[in-house]
Amino acid sequence: MFPRQLHLLLIALLPKSTGGDRPVGLFPSPVRLLGRWLRRGIGEDWRRSCARPFFFGSKGAGAETCVWRALAISEYAAAVGRVSCSALFDLIKAFEYIRHDLLVENARRYGFPLPLLRFLVLCYRMPRAIRVGSVTIFPKQATRAVVPGCACADLMMSLALLPTLDAVAEKFASQISEGKLFAATVVDDIQFLALGDAKETTELVTSASRMLISGLKKMALKSTSPTNSCTCFA
């Protein structure tokens, strides 16, 4: 699909302040520009068509909304003598473990444009050179992973997570509609937040968390141990 001169992906491993490295993909400029153009067109059209109340981090649903909502619920719990309980999951190397066959399966299920997906998978399977400092390892070909730095990486993460998150939303639909349970996803960070009495909130967050972890295991994705918080006022 690509001319030989453009058929190379450079993966730079940038050191993180918390330790380890953060991979960032560097496509040739024409490929990168084409990807951005497709993302703003048919990619954005799909995102709007598959919008969910638990997806944040886009225009009109900024990531900061999750923080303000959690704060407001905690303050409300304090004011009325109720309990708020939450769990936050950070997926481990999430982009690196997304299988391409899973993306194809979910694309057919959720109406993701297959020509766009074909273009993206071809990009992800380009021969890649990995650069660490001044050392470059030449080329390898991937059969899984979404490249961080790709204009459509967030769409691919949403596409991968949709079946699991939809299943959680369906199972707890009544609690969500009653304002007892809230879910939020910002790319690869997932939060559950419950409001009610001590027993109810703990059970809701625990049940939703177990269902999420089960779904992640089926996709071969892992998360850090959840960061839990509970605000209780008698």
Side-chain angles (χ1 to χ4, degrees):
M1 178 177 180
F2 300 105
R4 183 176 58 84
Q5 295 86 342
L6 301 180
H7 209 242
L8 181 65
L9 167 63
L10 178 63
I11 302 293
L13 298 179
L14 306 180
K16 297 192 293 186
S17 58
T18 55
D21 297 307
R22 183 185 305 279
V24 177
L26 301 173
F27 291 103
S29 295
V31 176
R32 187 170 65 252
L33 292 172
L34 177 58
R36 289 181 178 177
W37 180 74
L38 292 171
R39 171 64 171 82
R40 292 172 183 171
I42 57 179
E44 186 64 17
D45 290 341
W46 178 81
R47 187 194 66 79
R48 286 193 294 263
S49 71
C50 276
R52 299 290 193 276
F54 48 73
F55 278 141
F56 291 87
S58 60
K59 186 177 180 180
E64 67 277 5
T65 304
C66 305
V67 178
W68 288 113
R69 183 173 68 177
L71 178 61
I73 290 174
S74 295
E75 291 186 349
Y76 174 76
V80 300
R82 303 178 75 183
V83 175
S84 68
C85 183
S86 69
L88 176 64
F89 295 84
D90 181 12
L91 304 190
I92 300 173
K93 299 184 181 297
F95 291 103
E96 298 174 37
Y97 285 95
I98 296 178
R99 302 194 326 265
H100 297 163
D101 63 313
L102 175 70
L103 293 176
V104 173
E105 178 183 336
N106 290 354
R108 290 176 175 146
R109 177 176 175 181
Y110 291 100
F112 189 89
L114 292 179
L116 174 57
L117 182 62
R118 181 173 182 269
F119 165 77
L120 293 172
V121 171
L122 285 172
C123 289
Y124 302 152
R125 293 193 176 191
M126 278 183 178
R128 57 179 65 189
I130 302 175
R131 185 173 181 85
V132 185
S134 59
V135 179
T136 302
I137 303 172
F138 281 98
K140 300 290 183 180
Q141 188 173 39
T143 57
R144 70 178 186 189
V146 168
V147 177
C150 164
C152 293
D154 61 324
L155 297 183
M156 295 297 95
M157 181 60 67
S158 297
L159 185 61
L161 292 175
L162 259 174
T164 297
L165 296 176
D166 273 353
V168 174
E170 181 178 356
K171 180 175 178 61
F172 297 96
S174 61
Q175 291 89 341
I176 292 173
S177 64
E178 293 169 6
K180 295 180 179 179
L181 180 66
F182 304 87
T185 301
V186 180
V187 190
D188 59 352
D189 294 321
I190 303 169
Q191 181 191 47
F192 295 120
L193 177 63
L195 176 67
D197 60 47
K199 181 180 179 181
E200 182 181 31
T201 55
T202 302
E203 288 179 349
L204 276 176
V205 170
T206 300
S207 297
S209 298
R210 285 175 177 169
M211 193 169 180
L212 172 67
I213 293 171
S214 175
L216 294 177
K217 286 181 179 178
K218 292 178 182 178
M219 296 186 291
L221 294 178
K222 300 178 181 180
S223 75
T224 58
S225 298
T227 300
N228 299 305
S229 66
C230 187
T231 305
C232 179
F233 296 91

